[in-house]
Amino acid sequence: MDTTPETGSEQGHIICVGLNPAVDRTYEVRNLKLGQHVDGRLVSVQPAGKAVNVARVLQQLGRPIILTGFVGREQQRLFESSFDPALVRTQLFGTAHSTRDNITLMDVERGIETHIRDQGATISPDDRNKLLRKIKILCRGNHWAVFAGSLPHGIGSSELLEMLIAVDRAGARVILDSSGGTRLVLGKTPIWLMKP
């Protein structure tokens, strides 16, 4: 498959859109038992979420990208400082609510992991409209827009569809890897690549 952009000689940008990123916190515990107190050790705090992870991999490949989406104002610096500014332009919208935490408990005695996934805060219509305007500004005919990750409260399939249509109308290619209404947007906008 030819992935060379048709318009212009300049290499197109990849825009990663994180609608519901997270801060991944990993704790090491021994012999985890529910309903009891247990000693643990925090071993990792990492900005995460599918779109953030895509941006991180592209950075490792040396590919310049733009990362946009929502993040709590308190965690915005954590996300921005985790990327090389020479490769990743972070243009995240700080929201009044904290970024959700995902907790991983690694039981080193039994070799098992327990994952606790926070649903996150509700995105306001005002914040959603700001991101939609940003997407319309960023997308061009030789760009790709990657929508990856779960949908937060406040953004359903119809709001996601509105964003995908804006990307398509700007002439950019849509890449979609998202749960929560993904099937509902199929056939309503051209999707160049999708992870089912």
Side-chain angles (χ1 to χ4, degrees), residues 85-128:
L87 289 172
V88 180
R89 288 168 41 201
T90 55
Q91 299 184 12
L92 297 163
F93 287 98
T95 64
H97 303 286
S98 293
T99 304
R100 66 194 178 107
D101 277 340
N102 288 337
I103 308 295
T104 298
L105 304 175
M106 296 191 313
D107 189 328
V108 294
E109 292 291 331
R110 293 184 286 172
I112 60 173
E113 294 183 359
T114 301
H115 301 279
I116 304 168
R117 300 290 180 233
D118 186 2
Q119 294 181 354
T122 299
I123 300 300
S124 71
D126 185 50
D127 284 336
R128 189 177 65 232

Side-chain angles (χ1 to χ4, degrees), residues 37-132:
H37 291 278
V38 62
D39 290 329
R41 182 174 70 91
L42 179 65
V43 294
S44 174
V45 177
Q46 181 76 29
K50 283 187 179 179
V52 173
N53 294 340
V54 169
R56 187 170 289 112
V57 170
L58 291 171
Q59 173 184 262
Q60 290 172 348
L61 294 172
R63 184 67 162 82
I65 65 151
I66 298 169
L67 173 64
T68 191
F70 304 112
V71 67
R73 288 189 194 102
E74 295 176 359
Q75 294 82 22
Q76 194 163 358
R77 180 72 187 127
L78 173 67
F79 278 76
E80 292 171 347
S81 64
S82 71
F83 289 101
D84 178 355
L87 289 172
V88 180
R89 288 168 41 201
T90 55
Q91 299 184 12
L92 297 163
F93 287 98
T95 64
H97 303 286
S98 293
T99 304
R100 66 194 178 107
D101 277 340
N102 288 337
I103 308 295
T104 298
L105 304 175
M106 296 191 313
D107 189 328
V108 294
E109 292 291 331
R110 293 184 286 172
I112 60 173
E113 294 183 359
T114 301
H115 301 279
I116 304 168
R117 300 290 180 233
D118 186 2
Q119 294 181 354
T122 299
I123 300 300
S124 71
D126 185 50
D127 284 336
R128 189 177 65 232
N129 289 332
K130 286 178 185 174
L131 180 59
L132 181 59

